[in-house]
């Protein structure tokens, strides 16, 4: 049985890590990171069938996760560290010189848990399809997951990949979109509206589900449902409605906190809203 | 001095296709991806023999590069196949982030490079690809000269763990290097020693350089010929050693002067001994429609152009 109370305590600590990392370097992307903290905690501490803390690049015999919207690296790094892939103390090096925790995730410095570089948007879905193809050739029944941003759906490569996965029935792939309706320049609907994203993916042959990305119980149920629906001849997508900045009241309801750092006072305010559950790094 | 004779005329892309097919038989981790150019790339034999390991992506090169990067995760050795233009410029950021920076073991195999693509014209005749790929950290860049060498290079790059750009072409050209040779990545091949001038050539221009050396010999000029089949990493010691004797060099390539073999060698010499140099290459121009032979003549990428450059150099020395 999934212990949601425990998972929420982990997510609270992850959110503290996120705001502390971005504050310490006065650089990074807190908004989307906070919005995806529930998903990432749920994936790494419950849903994914992984050999953590052991890391193997090929990921044979385990589920594999890709972060396509690499700018939300703070939540990725926090969850990987808290899951034991590397020391939690290393979070102090986020975005610092000669760190394995680069501004955007990379394999280049050999950080355990990261399987491809991301940051330039639109590329993760293709990589995930490739890993899914490799799993089939290896007769590996584990699944491949990829998280994308909603603004990222404006990239052309996404639709090349969507077409491929639908037509080739990449049914060991579960994609997620962080649907917070915000991007750097403002609301997605103003910058470049996505239209009916659900209908668009469905037209490419995907099964698409909508769920609340900040309610772990619902999200967990949806992920389990997707696992049960795998290997049935279609790729799956979860449109995950989230709140950018979730958990820190002054960062919510605006696109402003996409990529800026809190001041000392704002950090104190944020931390007062997030319980320290597993000890700050 | 090696004496070369033409065994037959074959296209280098067939060397790729035949090498890939043999690799498929030898190694079940070798997979191939193609963006709607299976026939032009000569990948049909592989696709037919190993359908489970052949991935048709449609006209979607960015996605193809990403899928190839992802397939390395799980231990596959992906070979992507499309024209050089669509293998590089069109997908530069995908290669840069998902393959090069990620250190993925992808072999980017590119046909129809340069002017000898012919009648399709400048939209398809990429002359900048060597430069683009050479600039990426960790990228190996190989430009074989004929069918036999291309086939050998395909086998060799499967054994190297890391990203590779393999550039070859469309037309049937003289096939003159040894059959069943082994290809050593990073090794420039000294085909002929000389005392007056060294000709450094790559790709289709290697045969032209050999012809140029014969013409120069008739004029009493001793020309060395080196096949620089690996542009990166460059075989610096072989080149510098040859130049100690001749003290001048002509480079020859079917590529833009900017970023290609010529500038690569110029950089080497500038940081060691700056010998006089001439570059046979395309001079900041786009190509155009025409037959391969017409184009190589018009853009001065043939034996005559190499001879002229060598004569100019020897006079300058």
């Amino acid at each position: 049985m999934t212990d949601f109370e425990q998972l929420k305590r982990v997510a609270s600590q992850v959110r503290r890590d996120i705001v502390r990392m971005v504050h310490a370097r006065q650089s990074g992307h807190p908004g989307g990171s906070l919005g995806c903290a529930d998903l990432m905690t749920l994936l790494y501490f419950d849903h994914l069938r992984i050999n953590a803390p052991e890391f193997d690049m090929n990921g044979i015999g385990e589920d594999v996760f890709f972060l396509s919207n690499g700018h939300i690296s703070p939540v990725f790094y926090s969850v990987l560290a808290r899951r034991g892939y590397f020391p939690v103390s290393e979070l102090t090096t986020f975005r610092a010189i000669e760190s394995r925790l680069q501004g955007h995730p990379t394999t280049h410095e050999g950080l355990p848990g990261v399987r491809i570089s991301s940051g330039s948007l639109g590329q993760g879905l293709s990589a995930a399809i490739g890993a899914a193809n490799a799993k089939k050739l290896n007769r590996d029944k584990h699944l491949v997951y990829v998280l994308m941003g909603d603004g990222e759906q404006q990239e052309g490569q996404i639709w090349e990949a969507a077409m491929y996965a639908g037509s080739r029935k990449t049914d060991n792939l579960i994609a997620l979109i962080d649907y917070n309706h915000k991007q750097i320049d403002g609301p997605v609907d103003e910058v470049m509206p996505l239209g009916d994203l659900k209908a668009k993916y469905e037209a490419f042959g995907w099964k698409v589900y909508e769920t609340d990305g900040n309610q772990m119980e619902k999200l967990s149920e949806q992920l389990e449902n997707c696992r049960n629906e795998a290997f049935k001849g279609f790729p799956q997508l979860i449109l995950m409605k989230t709140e950018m900045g979730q958990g820190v009241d002054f960062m919510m309801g605006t696109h402003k906190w996409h990529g800026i750092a809190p001041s000392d006072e704002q950090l104190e305010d944020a931390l007062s809203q997030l319980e320290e559950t597993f000890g700050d790094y | 001095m090696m004496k070369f004779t033409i065994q037959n005329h074959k296209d280098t892309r067939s060397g790729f296709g035949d090498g890939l097919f043999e690799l498929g038989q030898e190694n079940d981790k070798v997979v191939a991806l193609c963006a709607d150019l299976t026939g032009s790339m000569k990948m049909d034999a592989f696709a037919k023999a190993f359908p489970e390991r052949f991935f048709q992506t449609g006209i979607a090169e960015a996605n193809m590069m990403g899928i190839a990067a992802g397939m390395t995760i799980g231990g596959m050795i992906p070979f992507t196949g499309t024209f050089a233009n669509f293998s590089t410029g069109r997908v530069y950021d995908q290669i840069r982030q998902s393959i090069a920076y990620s250190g993925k073991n992808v072999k980017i195999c590119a046909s129809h490079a340069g002017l000898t693509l012919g009648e399709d014209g400048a939209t398809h005749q990429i002359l900048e690809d060597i430069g683009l790929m050479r600039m990426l950290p960790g990228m190996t860049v190989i430009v074989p000269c004929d069918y036999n060498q291309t086939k050998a290079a395909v086998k060799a790059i499967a054994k190297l763990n890391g990203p590779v750009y393999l550039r070859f072409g469309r037309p049937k050209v003289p096939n003159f290097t040894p059959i069943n040779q082994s290809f050593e990545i990073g090794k420039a091949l000294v085909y002929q020693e000389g005392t007056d001038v060294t000709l450094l050539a790559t790709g289709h221009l290697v045969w032209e350089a050999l012809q140029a050396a014969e013409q120069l010999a008739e004029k009493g000029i001793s020309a060395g010929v080196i096949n620089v089949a690996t542009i990166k990493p460059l075989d610096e010691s072989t080149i510098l050693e040859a130049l100690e004797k001749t003290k001048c060099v002509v480079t020859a390539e079917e590529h833009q002067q900017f970023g290609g073999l010529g500038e690569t060698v110029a950089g080497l010499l500038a940081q060691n001994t700056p010998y006089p140099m001439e570059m046979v290459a395309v001079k900041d121009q786009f190509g155009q429609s025409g037959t391969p032979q017409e184009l190589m003549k018009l853009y001065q990428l043939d034996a005559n152009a190499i001879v002229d450059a060598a004569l100019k150099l020897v006079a300058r020395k």
Side-chain angles (χ1 to χ4, degrees):
Chain A
M1 276 296 288
T2 299
D3 183 348
F4 288 106
E5 287 315 306
Q6 179 72 357
L7 287 173
K8 286 171 189 174
R9 286 165 53 79
V10 175
S12 180
Q13 188 63 50
V14 166
R15 286 190 161 96
R16 286 182 70 90
D17 290 348
I18 292 166
V19 289
R20 293 183 70 241
M21 287 161 76
V22 175
H23 169 264
R25 202 63 53 195
Q26 283 298 295
S27 162
H29 297 77
S33 295
L34 290 167
C36 290
D38 300 307
L39 167 76
M40 294 295 284
T41 301
L42 182 62
L43 283 176
Y44 274 88
F45 285 82
D46 184 64
H47 183 77
L48 292 180
R49 295 177 183 171
I50 48 178
N51 301 329
E54 296 304 314
F55 177 70
D56 176 70
M57 178 57 80
N58 284 331
I60 295 171
E62 60 179 335
D63 291 342
V64 163
F65 171 82
F66 292 96
L67 181 68
S68 189
N69 48 334
H71 56 276
I72 67 165
S73 57
V75 67
F76 196 24
Y77 294 151
S78 169
V79 168
L80 290 178
R82 296 281 170 189
R83 192 67 181 81
Y85 282 105
F86 57 86
V88 171
S89 60
E90 202 169 338
L91 296 176
T92 58
T93 70
F94 172 64
R95 288 188 171 229
I97 193 79
E98 296 191 312
S99 170
R100 298 196 293 180
L101 280 60
Q102 291 290 298
H104 293 80
T106 179
T107 57
H108 195 258
E109 323 304 332
L111 186 68
V114 181
R115 289 195 169 86
I116 201 152
S117 306
S118 61
S120 175
L121 294 171
Q123 300 187 29
L125 183 56
S126 302
I129 291 168
N133 284 348
K135 284 217 176 294
K136 289 199 173 183
L137 287 174
N138 286 326
R139 313 279 182 255
D140 179 352
K141 286 292 190 183
H142 288 79
L143 299 177
V144 177
Y145 293 75
V146 57
L147 174 61
M148 302 175 276
D150 52 0
E152 185 177 15
Q153 302 304 303
Q154 292 156 356
E155 289 281 5
Q157 187 182 347
I158 291 287
W159 300 100
E160 294 184 2
M163 187 186 304
Y164 180 98
S167 76
R168 297 293 188 262
K169 306 186 190 324
T170 311
D171 55 8
N172 53 346
L173 171 70
I174 296 171
L176 297 117
I177 292 176
D178 176 22
Y179 209 177
N180 58 28
H181 297 270
K182 294 177 185 67
Q183 59 189 111
I184 298 180
D185 273 359
V188 173
D189 283 342
E190 287 176 19
V191 176
M192 180 50 65
L194 299 174
D196 190 340
L197 208 48
K198 183 169 186 285
K200 286 180 179 179
Y201 271 92
E202 283 172 345
F204 281 112
W206 290 61
K207 276 273 168 68
V208 184
Y209 317 93
E210 292 173 297
T211 191
D212 187 326
N214 293 125
Q215 289 199 37
M216 275 194 192
E217 292 85 349
K218 285 186 183 170
L219 196 49
S220 173
E221 193 183 329
Q222 185 58 65
L223 285 166
E224 286 305 323
N225 176 45
C226 287
R227 191 181 284 284
N228 293 333
E229 291 295 299
F231 301 103
K232 290 188 179 175
F234 46 82
Q236 302 185 79
L237 170 70
I238 302 175
L239 279 177
M240 193 182 67
K241 290 198 171 42
T242 59
E243 181 66 46
M244 190 183 269
Q246 177 72 28
V248 178
D249 57 8
F250 63 89
M251 292 187 178
M252 294 163 67
T254 171
H255 65 273
K256 201 176 78 141
W257 289 92
H258 170 89
I260 60 165
S263 66
D264 293 350
E265 295 73 28
Q266 287 166 329
L267 175 70
E268 287 311 310
D269 188 354
L271 292 180
S272 73
Q273 302 173 40
L274 300 166
E275 188 188 349
E276 183 180 350
T277 46
F278 288 87
D280 288 337
Y281 62 82
Chain B
M1 173 174 154
M2 290 173 80
K3 183 68 187 166
F4 290 101
T5 53
I6 297 177
Q7 299 154 31
N8 46 41
H9 285 75
K10 279 188 170 182
D11 44 357
T12 50
R13 58 180 162 149
S14 286
F16 164 66
D18 293 347
L20 183 66
F21 174 71
E22 287 184 17
L23 266 183
Q25 293 173 312
E26 294 163 10
N27 187 341
D28 66 5
K29 296 295 178 200
V30 169
V31 299
L33 301 92
C34 187
D36 194 34
L37 288 168
T38 312
S40 297
M41 294 298 299
K42 304 294 179 187
M43 295 168 86
D44 332 54
F46 184 99
K48 193 162 175 240
F50 315 105
E52 200 195 20
R53 285 189 274 144
F54 179 75
F55 299 85
Q56 169 66 266
T57 65
I59 311 165
E61 295 83 5
N63 186 43
M64 176 171 74
M65 291 302 169
I67 291 178
M71 289 195 76
T72 65
I73 300 162
M76 301 301 148
I77 308 172
F79 282 66
T80 66
T82 183
F83 291 173
N85 192 29
F86 315 134
S87 293
T88 57
R90 187 174 185 93
V91 289
Y92 198 62
D93 189 46
Q94 283 77 18
I95 293 174
R96 183 176 179 275
Q97 175 173 285
S98 290
I99 297 175
Y101 186 42
S102 295
K104 296 305 182 197
N105 190 23
V106 176
K107 315 305 172 187
I108 301 162
C109 300
S111 182
H112 292 54
L115 294 171
T116 54
L117 169 137
E119 292 81 351
D120 277 350
T123 53
H124 290 50
Q125 291 162 342
I126 194 162
L127 294 163
E128 302 82 23
D129 55 321
I130 293 174
L132 285 171
M133 301 309 277
R134 185 170 74 86
M135 282 194 292
L136 291 170
M139 182 67 70
T140 296
V141 179
I142 296 174
V143 187
C145 69
D146 69 357
Y147 170 91
N148 286 340
Q149 191 177 39
T150 305
K151 190 172 165 188
V154 171
K155 300 289 200 66
I157 64 176
K159 295 195 178 83
L160 177 84
N161 185 18
V164 175
Y165 179 61
L166 181 69
R167 180 198 215 231
F168 42 91
R170 173 180 180 238
K172 288 193 165 78
V173 292
N175 186 28
F176 59 95
T177 65
I179 195 164
N180 297 329
Q181 64 189 286
S182 66
F183 185 91
E184 195 180 334
I185 296 166
K187 183 76 191 151
L189 301 170
V190 179
Y191 284 166
Q192 187 167 314
E193 306 225 358
T195 52
D196 296 324
V197 60
T198 300
L199 312 179
L200 297 179
T202 194
H204 290 150
L205 270 295
V206 174
W207 177 254
E208 299 298 320
L210 287 166
Q211 302 314 297
E214 283 188 15
Q215 290 183 38
L216 288 165
E218 288 166 15
K219 297 176 195 294
I221 293 168
S222 164
V225 179
I226 298 178
N227 175 3
V228 188
T230 308
I231 307 282
K232 185 184 175 186
L234 190 68
D235 187 350
E236 300 184 351
S237 60
T238 296
I239 293 170
L240 291 173
E241 199 178 307
L243 289 182
E244 269 178 35
K245 281 179 232 146
T246 64
K247 302 200 187 311
C248 68
V249 58
V250 177
T251 57
E253 60 195 308
E254 189 183 346
H255 188 272
Q256 209 67 252
Q257 180 177 317
F258 303 129
L261 172 66
E263 283 198 350
T264 304
V265 172
L268 170 69
L269 299 188
Q271 293 174 82
N272 289 274
T273 309
Y275 297 113
M277 182 170 182
E278 287 285 330
M279 297 183 197
V280 172
V282 176
K283 311 288 185 185
D284 200 19
Q285 290 169 288
F286 286 104
Q288 59 179 289
S289 293
T291 66
Q293 294 82 355
E294 288 170 341
L295 288 161
M296 296 299 263
K297 186 161 183 248
L298 183 64
Y299 288 83
Q300 299 183 319
L301 301 180
D302 56 12
N304 289 338
I306 296 170
V307 168
D308 289 348
L311 292 175
K312 210 155 85 175
L313 252 189
V314 172
R316 256 172 81 188
K317 252 209 305 191

